[in-house]
PDB file of all heavy atoms in Angstrom:
ATOM      1  N   ASP V 323       1.189   4.777  14.033  1.00 63.00           N
ATOM      2  CA  ASP V 323       1.718   3.874  13.000  1.00 63.00           C
ATOM      3  C   ASP V 323       2.040   4.644  11.754  1.00 63.00           C
ATOM      4  O   ASP V 323       1.352   5.535  11.304  1.00 63.00           O
ATOM      5  CB  ASP V 323       0.697   2.796  12.703  1.00 63.00           C
ATOM      6  CG  ASP V 323       0.511   1.833  13.862  1.00 63.00           C
ATOM      7  OD1 ASP V 323       1.408   1.761  14.680  1.00 63.00           O
ATOM      8  OD2 ASP V 323      -0.568   1.193  13.950  1.00 63.00           O
ATOM      9  N   VAL V 324       3.131   4.188  11.048  1.00 64.00           N
ATOM     10  CA  VAL V 324       3.493   4.741   9.743  1.00 64.00           C
ATOM     11  C   VAL V 324       2.489   4.218   8.751  1.00 64.00           C
ATOM     12  O   VAL V 324       2.208   3.034   8.725  1.00 64.00           O
ATOM     13  CB  VAL V 324       4.910   4.315   9.374  1.00 64.00           C
ATOM     14  CG1 VAL V 324       5.205   4.725   7.903  1.00 64.00           C
ATOM     15  CG2 VAL V 324       5.922   4.931  10.302  1.00 64.00           C
ATOM     16  N   PRO V 325       1.880   5.087   7.923  1.00 68.00           N
ATOM     17  CA  PRO V 325       0.850   4.608   6.973  1.00 68.00           C
ATOM     18  C   PRO V 325       1.452   3.628   5.959  1.00 68.00           C
ATOM     19  O   PRO V 325       2.605   3.797   5.533  1.00 68.00           O
ATOM     20  CB  PRO V 325       0.408   5.911   6.288  1.00 68.00           C
ATOM     21  CG  PRO V 325       1.518   6.884   6.487  1.00 68.00           C
ATOM     22  CD  PRO V 325       2.084   6.506   7.812  1.00 68.00           C
ATOM     23  N   GLY V 326       0.652   2.628   5.557  1.00 90.00           N
ATOM     24  CA  GLY V 326       1.132   1.664   4.564  1.00 90.00           C
ATOM     25  C   GLY V 326       1.251   2.316   3.210  1.00 90.00           C
ATOM     26  O   GLY V 326       2.316   2.278   2.562  1.00 90.00           O
ATOM     27  N   VAL V 327       0.174   2.916   2.740  1.00 92.00           N
ATOM     28  CA  VAL V 327       0.147   3.639   1.448  1.00 92.00           C
ATOM     29  C   VAL V 327      -0.419   5.030   1.671  1.00 92.00           C
ATOM     30  O   VAL V 327      -1.533   5.190   2.157  1.00 92.00           O
ATOM     31  CB  VAL V 327      -0.703   2.885   0.408  1.00 92.00           C
ATOM     32  CG1 VAL V 327      -0.764   3.708  -0.902  1.00 92.00           C
ATOM     33  CG2 VAL V 327      -0.153   1.508   0.119  1.00 92.00           C
ATOM     34  N   GLU V 328       0.386   6.025   1.372  1.00 94.00           N
ATOM     35  CA  GLU V 328      -0.059   7.409   1.525  1.00 94.00           C
ATOM     36  C   GLU V 328      -0.089   8.045   0.117  1.00 94.00           C
ATOM     37  O   GLU V 328       0.913   8.139  -0.546  1.00 94.00           O
ATOM     38  CB  GLU V 328       0.906   8.193   2.398  1.00 94.00           C
ATOM     39  CG  GLU V 328       0.479   9.624   2.628  1.00 94.00           C
ATOM     40  CD  GLU V 328       1.383  10.366   3.611  1.00 94.00           C
ATOM     41  OE1 GLU V 328       2.435   9.838   3.984  1.00 94.00           O
ATOM     42  OE2 GLU V 328       1.039  11.490   3.962  1.00 94.00           O
ATOM     43  N   LEU V 329      -1.296   8.463  -0.290  1.00 94.00           N
ATOM     44  CA  LEU V 329      -1.462   9.088  -1.602  1.00 94.00           C
ATOM     45  C   LEU V 329      -1.644  10.584  -1.432  1.00 94.00           C
ATOM     46  O   LEU V 329      -2.523  11.038  -0.713  1.00 94.00           O
ATOM     47  CB  LEU V 329      -2.673   8.481  -2.304  1.00 94.00           C
ATOM     48  CG  LEU V 329      -2.554   6.965  -2.666  1.00 94.00           C
ATOM     49  CD1 LEU V 329      -3.805   6.491  -3.340  1.00 94.00           C
ATOM     50  CD2 LEU V 329      -1.315   6.698  -3.515  1.00 94.00           C
ATOM     51  N   VAL V 330      -0.862  11.327  -2.126  1.00 95.00           N
ATOM     52  CA  VAL V 330      -0.911  12.783  -2.097  1.00 95.00           C
ATOM     53  C   VAL V 330      -1.980  13.260  -3.103  1.00 95.00           C
ATOM     54  O   VAL V 330      -1.912  12.931  -4.255  1.00 95.00           O
ATOM     55  CB  VAL V 330       0.440  13.420  -2.451  1.00 95.00           C
ATOM     56  CG1 VAL V 330       0.355  14.937  -2.510  1.00 95.00           C
ATOM     57  CG2 VAL V 330       1.488  12.990  -1.434  1.00 95.00           C
ATOM     58  N   HIS V 331      -2.948  14.016  -2.598  1.00 95.00           N
ATOM     59  CA  HIS V 331      -4.027  14.449  -3.504  1.00 95.00           C
ATOM     60  C   HIS V 331      -3.473  15.482  -4.498  1.00 95.00           C
ATOM     61  O   HIS V 331      -2.801  16.435  -4.137  1.00 95.00           O
ATOM     62  CB  HIS V 331      -5.169  15.051  -2.715  1.00 95.00           C
ATOM     63  CG  HIS V 331      -6.427  15.144  -3.527  1.00 95.00           C
ATOM     64  ND1 HIS V 331      -7.178  14.077  -3.865  1.00 95.00           N
ATOM     65  CD2 HIS V 331      -7.074  16.232  -4.032  1.00 95.00           C
ATOM     66  CE1 HIS V 331      -8.214  14.469  -4.568  1.00 95.00           C
ATOM     67  NE2 HIS V 331      -8.172  15.765  -4.685  1.00 95.00           N
ATOM     68  N   PRO V 332      -3.795  15.326  -5.809  1.00 95.00           N
ATOM     69  CA  PRO V 332      -3.292  16.264  -6.761  1.00 95.00           C
ATOM     70  C   PRO V 332      -4.053  17.582  -6.682  1.00 95.00           C
ATOM     71  O   PRO V 332      -5.053  17.707  -6.079  1.00 95.00           O
ATOM     72  CB  PRO V 332      -3.564  15.567  -8.134  1.00 95.00           C
ATOM     73  CG  PRO V 332      -4.716  14.620  -7.818  1.00 95.00           C
ATOM     74  CD  PRO V 332      -4.555  14.224  -6.381  1.00 95.00           C
ATOM     75  N   ARG V 333      -3.497  18.574  -7.421  1.00 95.00           N
ATOM     76  CA  ARG V 333      -4.068  19.926  -7.445  1.00 95.00           C
ATOM     77  C   ARG V 333      -4.173  20.380  -8.883  1.00 95.00           C
ATOM     78  O   ARG V 333      -3.186  20.306  -9.644  1.00 95.00           O
ATOM     79  CB  ARG V 333      -3.127  20.864  -6.657  1.00 95.00           C
ATOM     80  CG  ARG V 333      -3.462  22.332  -6.789  1.00 95.00           C
ATOM     81  CD  ARG V 333      -2.481  23.157  -5.900  1.00 95.00           C
ATOM     82  NE  ARG V 333      -1.102  22.686  -6.042  1.00 95.00           N
ATOM     83  CZ  ARG V 333      -0.336  22.995  -7.025  1.00 95.00           C
ATOM     84  NH1 ARG V 333      -0.754  23.784  -8.028  1.00 95.00           N
ATOM     85  NH2 ARG V 333       0.955  22.541  -7.058  1.00 95.00           N
ATOM     86  N   LEU V 334      -5.358  20.821  -9.271  1.00 97.00           N
ATOM     87  CA  LEU V 334      -5.570  21.318 -10.647  1.00 97.00           C
ATOM     88  C   LEU V 334      -5.494  22.826 -10.655  1.00 97.00           C
ATOM     89  O   LEU V 334      -6.107  23.513  -9.828  1.00 97.00           O
ATOM     90  CB  LEU V 334      -6.896  20.835 -11.182  1.00 97.00           C
ATOM     91  CG  LEU V 334      -7.187  21.216 -12.655  1.00 97.00           C
ATOM     92  CD1 LEU V 334      -7.868  20.059 -13.383  1.00 97.00           C
ATOM     93  CD2 LEU V 334      -8.076  22.459 -12.729  1.00 97.00           C
ATOM     94  N   THR V 335      -4.759  23.382 -11.634  1.00 97.00           N
ATOM     95  CA  THR V 335      -4.685  24.822 -11.833  1.00 97.00           C
ATOM     96  C   THR V 335      -5.193  25.149 -13.210  1.00 97.00           C
ATOM     97  O   THR V 335      -4.651  24.666 -14.210  1.00 97.00           O
ATOM     98  CB  THR V 335      -3.208  25.346 -11.671  1.00 97.00           C
ATOM     99  OG1 THR V 335      -2.754  24.958 -10.381  1.00 97.00           O
ATOM    100  CG2 THR V 335      -3.206  26.824 -11.840  1.00 97.00           C
ATOM    101  N   ARG V 336      -6.221  25.959 -13.262  1.00 96.00           N
ATOM    102  CA  ARG V 336      -6.852  26.313 -14.572  1.00 96.00           C
ATOM    103  C   ARG V 336      -6.047  27.460 -15.181  1.00 96.00           C
ATOM    104  O   ARG V 336      -5.754  28.493 -14.583  1.00 96.00           O
ATOM    105  CB  ARG V 336      -8.286  26.740 -14.415  1.00 96.00           C
ATOM    106  CG  ARG V 336      -8.946  27.198 -15.686  1.00 96.00           C
ATOM    107  CD  ARG V 336     -10.389  27.524 -15.427  1.00 96.00           C
ATOM    108  NE  ARG V 336     -11.177  26.338 -15.114  1.00 96.00           N
ATOM    109  CZ  ARG V 336     -12.267  26.328 -14.408  1.00 96.00           C
ATOM    110  NH1 ARG V 336     -12.800  27.465 -13.955  1.00 96.00           N
ATOM    111  NH2 ARG V 336     -12.933  25.189 -14.161  1.00 96.00           N
ATOM    112  N   ARG V 337      -5.703  27.273 -16.441  1.00 97.00           N
ATOM    113  CA  ARG V 337      -5.009  28.307 -17.220  1.00 97.00           C
ATOM    114  C   ARG V 337      -5.692  28.449 -18.563  1.00 97.00           C
ATOM    115  O   ARG V 337      -6.871  28.003 -18.685  1.00 97.00           O
ATOM    116  CB  ARG V 337      -3.506  27.929 -17.380  1.00 97.00           C
ATOM    117  CG  ARG V 337      -2.759  27.831 -16.060  1.00 97.00           C
ATOM    118  CD  ARG V 337      -1.293  27.637 -16.266  1.00 97.00           C
ATOM    119  NE  ARG V 337      -0.579  27.584 -14.987  1.00 97.00           N
ATOM    120  CZ  ARG V 337      -0.404  26.493 -14.250  1.00 97.00           C
ATOM    121  NH1 ARG V 337      -0.920  25.348 -14.657  1.00 97.00           N
ATOM    122  NH2 ARG V 337       0.263  26.557 -13.097  1.00 97.00           N
ATOM    123  N   ALA V 338      -5.008  29.051 -19.550  1.00 97.00           N
ATOM    124  CA  ALA V 338      -5.682  29.455 -20.770  1.00 97.00           C
ATOM    125  C   ALA V 338      -6.147  28.284 -21.659  1.00 97.00           C
ATOM    126  O   ALA V 338      -6.991  28.494 -22.511  1.00 97.00           O
ATOM    127  CB  ALA V 338      -4.701  30.336 -21.589  1.00 97.00           C
ATOM    128  N   SER V 339      -5.671  27.071 -21.414  1.00 97.00           N
ATOM    129  CA  SER V 339      -6.059  25.980 -22.284  1.00 97.00           C
ATOM    130  C   SER V 339      -7.430  25.396 -21.994  1.00 97.00           C
ATOM    131  O   SER V 339      -7.946  24.575 -22.740  1.00 97.00           O
ATOM    132  CB  SER V 339      -5.003  24.847 -22.238  1.00 97.00           C
ATOM    133  OG  SER V 339      -4.981  24.233 -20.948  1.00 97.00           O
ATOM    134  N   THR V 340      -8.047  25.829 -20.903  1.00 96.00           N
ATOM    135  CA  THR V 340      -9.415  25.445 -20.608  1.00 96.00           C
ATOM    136  C   THR V 340     -10.205  26.698 -20.137  1.00 96.00           C
ATOM    137  O   THR V 340     -10.281  26.962 -18.949  1.00 96.00           O
ATOM    138  CB  THR V 340      -9.549  24.354 -19.532  1.00 96.00           C
ATOM    139  OG1 THR V 340      -8.914  24.809 -18.323  1.00 96.00           O
ATOM    140  CG2 THR V 340      -8.950  23.054 -20.006  1.00 96.00           C
ATOM    141  N   PRO V 341     -10.736  27.459 -21.089  1.00 91.00           N
ATOM    142  CA  PRO V 341     -11.504  28.627 -20.709  1.00 91.00           C
ATOM    143  C   PRO V 341     -12.669  28.241 -19.769  1.00 91.00           C
ATOM    144  O   PRO V 341     -13.177  27.106 -19.844  1.00 91.00           O
ATOM    145  CB  PRO V 341     -12.030  29.172 -22.050  1.00 91.00           C
ATOM    146  CG  PRO V 341     -11.170  28.554 -23.080  1.00 91.00           C
ATOM    147  CD  PRO V 341     -10.701  27.233 -22.522  1.00 91.00           C
ATOM    148  N   ALA V 342     -13.045  29.146 -18.937  1.00 71.00           N
ATOM    149  CA  ALA V 342     -14.144  28.882 -18.029  1.00 71.00           C
ATOM    150  C   ALA V 342     -15.413  28.516 -18.735  1.00 71.00           C
ATOM    151  O   ALA V 342     -16.225  27.747 -18.236  1.00 71.00           O
ATOM    152  CB  ALA V 342     -14.371  30.070 -17.082  1.00 71.00           C
TER     153      ALA V 342
END
Side-chain angles (χ1 to χ4, degrees):
D323 292 336
V324 172
V327 176
E328 183 177 7
L329 296 180
V330 175
H331 196 71
R333 169 179 44 81
L334 184 139
T335 301
R336 177 177 293 155
R337 298 186 178 86
S339 67
T340 57

